[in-house]
Amino acid sequence: MFKKVLRRVAIGLAVIIVVLAGVQLYLLRGTPGKAITPTNSSVKYSATPTLLIPGWGGNTWTYTKLINYYQDQNIATNVMVVRVAPTGAVQVSGSLKGKQNPLIQFIYDWNYSTTYQPQVRELTQVLQVLATKYHVQKLNVIAHSYGGTELLHAYIGSKTLQREIALQKVVFLGVPVDESFGTNTKYTKWLFKKSHDQMFKTMLKEVKEAQLPRGLVFYNWMGSDEGKSTTDGEVPQIQSLMLKTLIKHKHVHYHQHIFTDTTHTELHQRVKIIKKIAHVIWGKE
């Protein structure tokens, strides 16, 4: 009797593992690409790729709505899916050759860590692969949540990447830059002196020597959840506003915007924001 119970439990666990593995593989599959016709009169087309970086726990779903909208509107096309394992192994499918406004959908095989530091290392590896094997010299980026935090640490912490890839336009969506402060903290230019975020302090030192590309534009976009004027429900705006302090002595064009009644997840799901992203990255004006 006891053996039968154990056998049933083992079978049940095996089924659960198989189901979970199937779900995980589905979430890592990447959004199907669709060829576009570069005829949208409001869009400027070029060969410069745009990298899509998800946040903590993000996957294929994060940018599927955005990708499908851009493809349907002949704005940009998903031509490459890049996955990285916790070991640093990078898997690439697709090609950038001959594509106009190409999108690179980046997916972590595992991004449920208690800290984003492993993802910084993995993203650094991916950027190096894009530079050396796929000859990416210019790059736009759309980054949500910790995805943007990881990008800042990876790029500012690597002189090699700064030499090899010139970032052009970077759209940050609800990105925590310094996690020391909460919703009741007001931004001041001296607030960094009260920081106890060691990762931010490290980046403050690194950015002094960083060679950031001239003409680089940072769009720092935040949400304001209904009834919560200083947070999107997950990331307090003050944590994003510390980006201003980080780059204050650099030749970086900085723009910020707060979207009212917008949650952390809605920053990459609302069509209004998806359209605005397209305008700042590929708009002719």
Side-chain angles (χ1 to χ4, degrees), residues 55-129:
W56 186 91
N59 46 55
T60 294
W61 174 83
T62 302
Y63 292 111
T64 289
K65 185 174 182 177
L66 176 147
I67 290 170
N68 287 337
Y69 180 86
Y70 292 161
Q71 292 184 152
D72 290 343
Q73 298 298 317
N74 287 312
I75 295 172
T77 174
N78 197 31
V79 301
M80 182 178 282
V81 176
V82 180
R83 287 173 50 187
V84 62
T87 59
V90 178
Q91 179 182 342
V92 179
S93 60
S95 172
L96 297 169
K97 292 182 179 179
K99 303 300 193 300
Q100 294 292 298
N101 292 358
L103 300 173
I104 302 173
Q105 188 176 21
F106 170 50
I107 303 172
Y108 294 105
D109 280 356
W110 184 262
N111 56 349
Y112 301 97
S113 310
T114 55
T115 171
Y116 56 79
Q117 293 182 47
Q119 283 70 55
V120 172
R121 294 190 292 270
E122 292 164 27
L123 177 56
T124 300
Q125 179 66 17
V126 166
L127 291 171
Q128 289 173 342
V129 168

Side-chain angles (χ1 to χ4, degrees), residues 2-28:
F2 183 67
K3 289 183 179 181
K4 289 183 178 180
V5 172
L6 285 178
R7 189 179 300 113
R8 289 175 181 175
V9 170
I11 293 173
L13 288 174
V15 170
I16 291 172
I17 291 171
V18 170
V19 170
L20 290 176
V23 170
Q24 182 69 359
L25 287 173
Y26 178 79
L27 293 174
L28 300 179

Side-chain angles (χ1 to χ4, degrees), residues 166-180:
L167 293 181
Q168 304 291 290
K169 298 176 181 179
V170 180
V171 179
F172 294 105
L173 303 171
V175 170
V177 180
D178 183 331
E179 296 186 271
S180 299

Side-chain angles (χ1 to χ4, degrees), residues 218-258:
F218 282 166
Y219 296 92
N220 192 14
W221 294 354
M222 297 153 273
S224 176
D225 197 5
E226 184 177 358
K228 302 175 182 178
S229 60
T230 60
T231 177
D232 62 16
E234 294 185 38
V235 176
Q237 292 161 13
I238 185 63
Q239 296 184 3
S240 299
L241 290 172
M242 292 302 287
L243 178 60
K244 292 193 292 185
T245 296
L246 182 68
I247 61 169
K248 65 181 178 181
H249 296 305
K250 292 296 177 179
H251 299 285
V252 177
H253 301 286
Y254 174 88
H255 304 275
Q256 70 181 45
H257 185 81
I258 296 174

Side-chain angles (χ1 to χ4, degrees), residues 183-198:
T183 56
N184 294 326
T185 306
K186 293 184 178 180
Y187 176 81
T188 70
K189 62 181 180 180
W190 303 111
L191 187 60
F192 71 94
K193 292 187 176 183
K194 297 182 179 180
S195 174
H196 54 77
D197 185 330
Q198 293 303 317

